[in-house]
Amino acid sequence: NGGRGAISGRREKYVPRGGPDGGHGGDGGQVSIVTDSNVTTLSEYRYRRRFRARNGGHGSGGLRHGANGSDECLRVPVGTEVWVEDGREGYLLADLTAEGQQLVVVRGGRGGRGNSAFVSSTNRFPRLAEEGEPGEDMTLRLELKLLADVGIVGAPNAGKSSLLAAASAARPKIAEYPFTTTEAILGVVERRYDSFVMVDIP
């Protein structure tokens, strides 16, 4: 949310520039989603579900304006789809397919003005200030697309990860118990002048 403006004033003797000096409130922060090639899964969003930016600071006397609220940035893998949950089927908001692509999903509220902004020729000391505007709120669903040419499908502990490790430079976790692979792993298979992407599907 945006910060509220302040009602303040100076009425000191021998101070020629007295009058209202209420500062403005700061703007609320925004929440954005950014693609990052160093992030490979959406697992960190499995347990933490609520993200919020900071509120804007309140104004105060002496024309001191509130600080803007800090932003919240969610880093996701390339190939993430952002869906809006609106109570029905939802709709696709964006398909993030490039490195460093940024999408602002909710914006913060504007900060309120202090009483110094309402001075007029007829009202030299206004006792009026604005409240900050509320920030936006939205429910989203993130889905990760895996772009691969070949998918390895089989029973648990059948050797899918071993096949991927033998055919490509990928190094998945390999152990002698079922369900070792908990998330899909990509590997590039190269043969002479041709190549394709293989994925180990848990």
Side-chain angles (χ1 to χ4, degrees):
N1 300 329
R4 63 173 177 270
I7 299 177
S8 177
R10 294 185 61 181
R11 291 192 176 184
E12 303 174 34
K13 193 176 183 180
Y14 307 121
V15 179
R17 296 189 178 182
D21 63 352
H24 309 325
D27 296 335
Q30 64 185 17
V31 179
S32 59
I33 298 176
V34 180
T35 55
D36 187 348
S37 59
N38 295 320
V39 181
T40 57
T41 68
L42 296 171
S43 59
E44 64 176 294
Y45 305 111
R46 183 175 301 168
Y47 303 107
R48 186 185 172 194
R49 299 296 184 91
R50 187 171 181 85
F51 299 87
R52 60 180 299 174
R54 298 288 184 180
N55 295 331
H58 302 310
S60 58
L63 291 176
R64 289 188 291 270
H65 306 310
N68 292 335
S70 59
D71 299 335
E72 179 78 10
C73 183
L74 311 183
R75 301 197 173 276
V76 299
V78 176
T80 299
E81 290 182 339
V82 182
W83 292 78
V84 175
E85 298 283 351
D86 59 357
R88 299 185 297 275
E89 296 182 359
Y91 60 91
L92 180 63
L93 181 64
D95 187 1
L96 306 178
T97 58
E99 166 70 12
Q101 193 173 353
Q102 182 172 6
L103 171 68
V104 177
V105 290
V106 289
R107 300 186 182 277
R110 184 179 62 86
R113 293 177 294 174
N115 66 338
S116 59
F118 298 97
V119 177
S120 65
S121 59
T122 58
N123 188 359
R124 304 306 300 169
F125 196 95
R127 299 182 181 274
L128 171 67
E130 291 178 334
E131 288 286 334
E133 295 179 353
E136 297 176 340
D137 190 282
M138 185 179 293
T139 302
L140 301 175
R141 184 177 79 249
L142 302 179
E143 294 185 0
L144 177 60
K145 298 185 302 180
L146 292 178
L147 306 178
D149 302 305
V150 176
I152 309 174
V153 183
N157 205 24
K160 300 186 297 296
S161 299
S162 299
L163 174 61
L164 180 67
S168 71
R171 290 294 171 259
K173 181 179 179 181
I174 300 174
E176 295 182 356
Y177 55 87
F179 305 108
T180 306
T181 303
T182 58
E183 56 192 34
I185 299 174
L186 296 172
V188 178
V189 180
E190 296 181 349
R191 184 176 183 272
R192 294 181 182 156
Y193 302 105
D194 196 11
S195 66
F196 61 89
V197 178
M198 180 182 291
V199 59
D200 178 13
I201 302 173

